Amino acid sequence: MKVTLSALDTCESSFTPLVVLELAQDVKEETKEWLKNRIVSKKEDGDDNDDFLTMAECQFIIKHELENLRARDEKMIPGYPQAKLYPGKSLLRRLLTSGIVIQVFPLHDNEALKKLEDSWYTRFTLKYQPLDRIRGYFGETIALYFGFLEYFTVALIPMAVIGLPYYLFVWEDYDKYVIFASFNLIWSTVILEVWKRGCANMTYRWGTLVMKRQFEEPRPGFHGVLGINPVTGREEPLYPSYKRQLRIYLVSLPFVCLCLYFSLYVMMIYFDMEAWAMSLHESSGSEWTSVLLYVPSIIYAIVIEIMNRLYRYAAEFLTSWENHRLESAYQNHLILKVLVFNFLNCFASLFYIAFVLRDMKLLRQSLATLLITSQILNQIMESLLPYWLQKKHHVQVKRKVQALKADIDATLYEQVVLEKEMGTYLGTFDDYLELFLQFGYVSLFSCVYPLAAAFAVLNNFTEVNSDALKMCRVLKRPFSEPSANIGVWQLAFETMSVISVVTNCALIGMSPQVNALFPESKLDLILIVVAVEHALLAFKFILAFAIPDKPRHIQMKLARLEFESLEALKRQQMKLMAQNLKEESREGNKEEEA
């Protein structure tokens, strides 16, 4: 800590710290000097763009440069012969795994953060979020998440308003739920298509709508033999794709299948507990046994959350081990692994109750218990508990700073010490996953439990403020990341809406009222349900096709931008051709004179 104090003491008053790189206490001087030289050598050709770039953009550039520091001729990290290096290895990743660098994180801008908080969540009023300010401070990826959370919450209100009277007045009349299920189909399609248009508006305004992913830089964890990329001509690690495919199909896929089997095994234990609680209630009929009926569902909901979190760590390890070159490919494979497991883990019991046991009362009870329990657990684990721990740590840091007698910038020292102990924001993955599962609870079995949308709205109103508090005061400031949209999550939500059409049609077809219309031939009932389901899916896809992903004015602006780019390229080519003709004529004149 003495080194940190002296470093802060000698800082120039005009220096504005952007990123903290925390080293271990016993790091050798030669290692510090070597690391400093490698970082400074990357900056030699840089320009001073303090007035042009925002603080978040400057921090993103620093992160990009640090992550792209790669070993060349070094065989080891100076001063640490056990920390081996080979050409192409990410230096920052090796320093982190060796324990030489503890962590790297961007600092908060307290003045800008205070302004953002005042316009965002400190005043509990019903208003739209300041998405442009969120984007300016945290970057496009986080701003898009909060924009989607706000949009999804508002979009849930019609479902909640319509579902409430269905819950109160026509609970057992499943034939009347046809109207509600049809509205759910149109609703789930329209909100996702309209979101695409709103997302295009925002990202065009932010300048990230058109992003060329084919020239994406290799991710920091990607390793291989250092070589030349044949497309870009740059030096970067090369790794055979067949090795990656072998790892995916021979290791990752069997592991995921094993986890899915274990999830189903736990589900059957839950049903044994349900049967035990039901038999106990039927034998005694007391009030405490009626309360006991909800205990298996609550325990199962908690077990589901624990299993989801444990599987997430395993999925991250496997996806990193697969050694994907691009960050987008890494995220796609990780999301696919996690979504498959979470979908089965959270919804398999509901499908089993609905289509095997055919117990609609138990389905309503299980759905309500799983939804409400998961929402309460998420609020406690993601916001309330971290906030309480952070407040406690803040008091301890205040006392340490007040006890210091050294001549240092105590404000900066307090900020660094406080923020380095904060939790790390792991990205929007868990936040989108929570919304995805919530969307499943609302849409998959809407004709059985229409009140799910109302609980989702109540949860999301608090989620907006708790997530904002978490980002600003509980967790470290994340590095900003540019984004054009919500990525593969858009496809995940659209897939869930397709599955919801099938489940709702099947549930309505299984209702006693509908079955009474076909007392003799069940085959006719099945054929009609399948025909209706196909017709609804066709209508859904036609509706999605009819609503353009980008508004007309955005399409025109993009076309105009492409036209101007081509015209500029033509002018540049004509200029080069003219220069070449001049040089050829000069050479011809010289030859004639000779």
Side-chain angles (χ1 to χ4, degrees), residues 246-404:
L246 287 175
R247 291 184 174 191
I248 292 173
Y249 291 110
L250 297 182
V251 179
S252 296
L253 184 59
F255 176 80
V256 172
C257 293
L258 181 64
C259 290
L260 295 178
Y261 173 79
F262 180 74
S263 174
L264 293 176
Y265 181 77
V266 172
M267 181 191 75
M268 298 313 297
I269 295 175
Y270 156 67
F271 284 119
D272 290 340
M273 293 173 60
E274 282 283 0
W276 171 79
M278 185 65 69
S279 62
L280 188 65
H281 176 66
E282 290 175 353
S283 61
S284 65
S286 61
E287 292 185 1
W288 77 270
T289 55
S290 62
V291 175
L292 189 65
L293 291 175
Y294 292 92
V295 173
S297 296
I298 295 174
I299 294 175
Y300 184 51
I302 296 172
V303 171
I304 284 176
E305 290 296 320
I306 295 173
M307 289 171 61
N308 285 345
R309 292 179 185 275
L310 292 176
Y311 177 82
R312 167 71 186 278
Y313 294 126
E316 286 179 344
F317 173 80
L318 277 177
T319 311
S320 179
W321 178 72
E322 290 165 4
N323 195 28
H324 295 278
R325 177 180 176 271
L326 302 180
E327 183 65 27
S328 56
Y330 170 85
Q331 289 295 332
N332 290 341
H333 281 79
L334 176 61
I335 289 172
L336 180 61
K337 288 185 185 71
V338 175
L339 282 188
V340 169
F341 180 82
N342 277 258
F343 182 85
L344 187 77
N345 201 29
C346 294
F347 300 120
S349 62
L350 301 179
F351 279 98
Y352 186 84
I353 295 170
F355 300 113
V356 178
L357 301 180
R358 297 192 176 189
D359 188 341
M360 296 300 116
K361 183 177 180 181
L362 180 59
L363 179 60
R364 289 194 296 268
Q365 173 189 316
S366 299
L367 177 58
T369 306
L370 288 174
L371 174 64
I372 296 171
T373 305
S374 64
Q375 289 179 346
I376 293 173
L377 287 176
N378 283 327
Q379 291 286 355
I380 293 174
M381 296 301 296
E382 291 184 7
S383 299
L384 296 179
L385 182 60
Y387 179 72
W388 178 76
L389 293 174
Q390 182 58 28
K391 290 286 286 184
K392 186 177 180 180
H393 175 68
H394 198 168
V395 173
Q396 295 174 352
V397 172
K398 283 276 190 183
R399 291 172 181 169
K400 288 182 180 179
V401 172
Q402 291 172 359
L404 284 173

Side-chain angles (χ1 to χ4, degrees), residues 211-235:
M211 295 180 64
K212 301 295 183 182
R213 285 293 183 186
Q214 58 264 40
F215 302 117
E216 189 179 347
E217 294 280 351
R219 56 186 296 268
F222 177 64
H223 59 271
V225 180
L226 197 64
I228 303 298
N229 187 311
V231 177
T232 63
R234 296 177 181 175
E235 195 175 41

Side-chain angles (χ1 to χ4, degrees), residues 20 82 96 101 114 143 146 164 189 226 230 236 319 343 374 379 392 400-401 419 440 454 456 468 521 527 535 549 582:
V20 174
Q82 73 278 9
L96 287 168
V101 173
K114 185 66 170 64
F146 279 102
L164 192 60
T189 304
L226 197 64
E236 65 177 52
T319 311
F343 182 85
S374 64
Q379 291 286 355
K392 186 177 180 180
K400 288 182 180 179
V401 172
E419 292 186 22
S521 176
L527 292 175
D549 292 349
K582 286 182 180 179

